[in-house]
Amino acid sequence: MARPTITDVAKLAGVSPSAVSMYLNNRPGIGVETQVRIAEAIDELGYVPRNHDSRRKSKGFIGLLVEKLPTLLTGDLFYADVSTGIQKEAERIGYSMAVSVISESTKALPRLVAEDSVVGLLALGGGDITDELLQLIANRKMPLVTVDNQSNLQAVNSVVVDNYRGAYQATQHLIELGHRRIGIIQGPKKYKSLTERFHGYVNALVEAGFAVDRQLVQQPMSSGYPNKGYREMKALLSLPDPPTAVFAVSDRTAQGAISALREAGLQVPRDFSIVGYDDMPPNAYPPPALTTVTSERLAMGHIAMQRLHRIINNPRYVPIQIVMPCQLVIRDSSAPPRKTK
């Protein structure tokens, strides 16, 4: 079959060939949603940019692996900010960028890697970017940095958030307010970051002398539903002895949970406290402003790109894990439990 061209990518993405060219050469002027459409078209067609297509001053192409998300990249603030940090730092150093979208069905090496079309690779996020896929890439001896993910099978450079500590702080905050029945709304177990948040929740309870009530550990029920947290909170409220507070493993999950609380006639935080994770802007949702955990997302992208640049120039660097700090931001969705007569 003929090798896919920029024109083929443009037609599938519904954009002009010049927009695809601008995207491939990391030039400004293309919205994030358009970038995602182009990236998905590139992935579907298996298009691989030729190194001579890049700008003459470019040090080459960096590959960015991202998971195919149910919403556009702009719908996930964390990944949108981290990828922006990566792109800005890549442009500053002098690299162009090519994106490859990974889906659940991806089992083989991305063509960017298989055809040696990139000088290094950043793998952003977990989920469908599995340990097995990372091992395949690492075995190719290609410079690789994982971001918000790490491999249990292979020693690779990684930049992650201290998810454990963030969840610990969130749960400890609710304990200090006086809550004793504190639930958690979990996320899919394929994400290591969410599993680490669950461990932080558990250890905060144990260190405070509380037993972990398995009824209050709510498994995810929102696969395929845009309103995460809603069904999970309804399940928690249906318990004979429901919690008085919940730690949700993401802000989107927390907002879905708040919708279920409102529907049940409960006010936050007067009747129920909730803490999220990711620090979405307070004005993104109706009041109350969400107590949450924040991290330096743009800096995370910068640091990951800087690390990749170093190992491109010196592959003998010993793989390390860089852990970014996080901080609890107390706003209006958490308060002491309401006293009952």
Side-chain angles (χ1 to χ4, degrees):
M1 293 179 63
R3 185 186 180 107
T5 66
I6 283 181
T7 302
D8 297 327
V9 173
K11 184 179 296 184
L12 184 59
V15 300
S16 67
S18 62
V20 177
S21 179
M22 290 171 64
Y23 169 80
L24 291 173
N25 289 294
N26 200 29
R27 291 174 182 152
I30 306 176
V32 175
E33 293 181 11
T34 302
Q35 292 182 41
V36 172
R37 291 210 314 274
I38 294 172
E40 291 182 345
I42 287 171
D43 179 65
E44 184 173 336
L45 292 172
Y47 172 77
V48 179
R50 298 181 188 273
N51 283 330
H52 65 255
D53 288 338
S54 61
R55 290 171 294 175
R56 291 181 180 179
K57 294 183 179 180
S58 173
K59 291 182 170 66
F61 273 94
I62 293 297
L64 177 63
L65 298 188
V66 295
E67 183 184 26
K68 186 177 179 64
L69 298 172
T71 60
L72 292 171
L73 191 61
T74 49
D76 190 303
L77 180 68
F78 181 88
Y79 287 142
D81 283 352
V82 174
S83 62
T84 297
I86 290 171
Q87 288 178 322
K88 287 184 176 180
E89 188 62 12
E91 186 176 30
R92 186 191 70 79
I93 296 171
Y95 291 102
S96 298
M97 186 167 290
V99 178
S100 182
V101 181
I102 302 299
S103 65
E104 187 176 0
S105 61
T106 304
K107 304 298 180 186
L109 281 171
R111 288 186 63 178
L112 291 175
V113 180
E115 299 188 6
D116 294 319
S117 298
V118 293
V119 296
L121 201 65
L122 289 154
L124 175 57
D128 294 331
I129 302 178
T130 62
D131 285 355
E132 291 75 17
L133 180 59
L134 293 175
Q135 187 172 40
L136 284 175
I137 295 167
N139 289 343
R140 294 279 298 207
K141 306 301 181 184
M142 174 170 285
L144 169 67
V145 176
T146 63
V147 189
D148 194 41
N149 193 10
Q150 67 274 342
S151 174
N152 293 324
L153 301 177
Q154 184 87 28
V156 298
N157 287 273
S158 60
V159 182
V160 298
V161 174
D162 194 349
N163 289 288
Y164 169 89
R165 181 172 176 79
Y168 182 97
Q169 291 176 337
T171 309
Q172 186 181 51
H173 167 65
L174 292 170
I175 293 170
E176 290 173 349
L177 287 173
H179 293 278
R180 296 299 176 261
R181 289 189 59 75
I182 302 171
I184 181 173
I185 299 178
Q186 294 186 278
K189 289 183 172 59
K190 67 179 182 178
Y191 296 102
K192 297 184 184 76
S193 58
L194 302 188
T195 300
E196 291 166 0
R197 292 173 195 180
F198 171 68
H199 292 158
Y201 158 83
V202 168
N203 281 9
L205 291 176
V206 171
E207 289 186 14
F210 304 137
V212 178
D213 187 339
R214 299 303 301 185
Q215 285 190 312
L216 301 184
V217 178
Q218 179 57 53
Q219 301 297 319
M221 303 167 61
S222 297
S223 178
Y225 289 83
N227 197 9
K228 297 182 182 300
Y230 173 82
R231 301 172 78 211
E232 290 84 346
M233 179 56 77
K234 287 179 73 70
L236 286 171
L237 292 176
S238 70
L239 293 172
D241 188 10
T244 62
V246 154
F247 166 56
V249 293
S250 72
D251 283 1
R252 285 184 61 200
T253 301
Q255 292 297 341
I258 289 174
S259 295
L261 289 166
R262 289 195 182 109
E263 187 178 282
L266 299 174
Q267 294 184 25
V268 177
R270 188 192 71 174
D271 304 311
F272 201 101
S273 288
I274 192 158
V275 178
Y277 201 113
D278 284 336
D279 192 22
M280 296 179 72
N283 60 358
Y285 289 95
L290 190 63
T291 296
T292 186
V293 177
T294 190
S295 58
E296 296 294 334
R297 298 181 289 265
L298 285 170
M300 190 176 185
H302 290 160
I303 290 168
M305 185 62 239
Q306 289 166 3
R307 181 64 185 172
L308 182 61
H309 176 57
R310 291 190 184 100
I311 62 176
I312 287 170
N313 290 286
N314 186 356
R316 295 186 178 181
Y317 272 130
V318 175
I320 61 172
Q321 183 177 85
I322 300 171
V323 181
M324 302 289 293
C326 55
Q327 183 179 354
L328 180 70
V329 180
I330 300 174
R331 295 196 179 110
D332 301 331
S333 66
S334 53
R338 186 178 182 184
K339 292 182 180 180
T340 56
K341 296 182 180 180

